[in-house]
Amino acid sequence: MNTVVTSREEILRTAGKMVKEGKKERISMRGIAGACGIAVGSLYNYFPTKNDLMIAVVVELWKELFCVPLSKIEGESFLEVVECIGKRIGRYGGGSQGFLAEHAFVVGDKEKGHRVMEEYLGHMKKELLTVLLGDEAVRREVWDEGFSAEDFVGFVVDFLVEDLMRGTDRSVFLRELILRVVYGKKERI
């Protein structure tokens, strides 16, 4: 077999493309190997199990959807960053949503999949919290013991993930919630 793809990154890129194109039925070790032009055994050099491959694919897709590079965060408001993430989710259409819903929580090793997901979401929450706290337009008096910035960011991330999993778009509601609660405005900024 021709070894066109030989790196872990290329394998993940190819598998991610298959997911985005809605080719869920081909998301198997054999299907991915075929798309990469390599032998199935070659995949096992990078991913000991199908579960490890599925977790890596989900993580790469989540990075693409939710990761906002630090260089882009500087100077952007919390609302702009959340809207940027929402637009990324919207670009996925129906292709990856079903895959993420099926695999994000129920990969073969549920505990490992959940642990990896929570670790990644924790990084994302930390980045969004940095943006929120650095946004000078945010009303500081809104935060207290019962309503913390950390909990609000956790809510926003959970909301975005739920929209992705369900294939829904409640971005208008989320925008209005952020405007009214965090910025104290009813009109658009």
Side-chain angles (χ1 to χ4, degrees):
M1 197 169 232
N2 186 3
T3 55
V4 176
V5 178
T6 58
S7 73
R8 183 179 197 278
E9 293 76 22
E10 284 295 319
I11 293 168
L12 290 174
R13 195 172 4 264
T14 300
K17 183 178 177 192
M18 291 170 67
V19 169
K20 290 179 213 172
E21 292 172 354
K23 298 179 180 175
K24 293 186 295 188
E25 67 282 352
R26 291 187 44 209
I27 304 300
S28 65
M29 295 300 264
R30 186 172 307 285
I32 292 170
C36 293
I38 60 174
V40 175
S42 297
L43 286 178
Y44 289 100
N45 291 327
Y46 300 100
F47 306 98
T49 67
K50 179 183 177 185
N51 188 58
D52 290 326
L53 175 59
M54 294 297 102
I55 289 172
V57 170
V58 169
V59 167
E60 289 302 310
L61 289 171
W62 281 38
K63 284 180 186 176
E64 191 174 317
L65 285 171
F66 295 115
C67 185
V68 179
L70 287 173
S71 59
K72 286 198 57 106
I73 291 174
E74 192 173 321
E76 292 193 32
S77 72
F78 178 73
L79 180 61
E80 290 169 328
V81 171
V82 171
E83 286 180 324
C84 176
I85 293 168
K87 287 176 186 169
R88 290 177 186 185
I89 291 171
R91 279 189 291 224
Y92 272 69
S96 62
Q97 291 162 343
F99 176 84
L100 289 169
E102 290 171 17
H103 291 90
F105 296 103
V106 289
V107 289
D109 182 349
K110 291 180 186 181
E111 188 175 311
K112 182 176 181 180
H114 188 71
R115 191 173 55 250
V116 169
M117 181 193 70
E118 286 301 318
E119 181 181 328
Y120 187 75
L121 290 177
H123 291 298
M124 186 176 64
K125 288 174 184 177
K126 184 178 174 184
E127 294 294 328
L128 279 175
L129 181 61
T130 299
V131 174
L132 179 65
L133 297 177
D135 186 343
E136 294 180 14
V138 170
R139 298 179 315 146
R140 302 293 179 228
E141 70 274 7
V142 76
W143 312 125
D144 62 27
E145 258 185 58
F147 192 78
S148 69
E150 292 84 359
D151 288 339
F152 187 75
V153 166
F155 169 82
V156 169
V157 169
D158 290 348
F159 191 95
L160 290 167
V161 169
E162 184 176 329
D163 258 8
L164 175 65
M165 297 298 204
R166 290 184 176 192
T168 57
D169 180 4
R170 298 175 295 162
S171 58
V172 172
F173 175 81
L174 185 58
R175 176 185 174 77
E176 289 301 317
L177 179 71
I178 292 169
L179 280 171
R180 294 174 190 203
V181 172
V182 176
Y183 296 102
K185 300 180 180 190
K186 287 190 180 182
E187 69 280 353
R188 302 187 186 282
I189 55 172

